[in-house]
Amino acid sequence: MSEEKPGIIFNFFIRALIGMAIIFFVNYFLDSRGIEASVGMNGVSFLTSGILGFSGISLLYAILVLRLL
């Protein structure tokens, strides 16, 4: 079990960093189209994208859309 721990932590950080990059570029795309809706880049977004991956990013944007309705 202890041999798997560095791999799990590394996987978490890679997913979280890629997730934050996706959030950054989607926010930039929405802003360039004049849509004033963006997901915040904070610790909650970092943890959500790190733990859940792409589905977590989708969840963050789904919550944003529901809030805008």
Side-chain angles (χ1 to χ4, degrees), residues 15-48:
R15 279 191 302 197
L17 291 175
I18 291 173
M20 294 304 280
I22 291 171
I23 290 171
F24 175 79
F25 287 116
V26 170
N27 285 345
Y28 179 77
F29 176 77
L30 292 175
D31 190 43
S32 70
R33 300 287 181 189
I35 301 170
E36 295 186 20
S38 62
V39 170
M41 295 182 65
N42 52 35
V44 174
S45 300
F46 185 82
L47 289 174
T48 303

Side-chain angles (χ1 to χ4, degrees), residues 10 12 16 28 35 40 49 53 55 63 68-69:
F10 180 74
F12 169 81
Y28 179 77
I35 301 170
S49 64
S55 60
I63 291 170
L68 292 175
L69 292 177

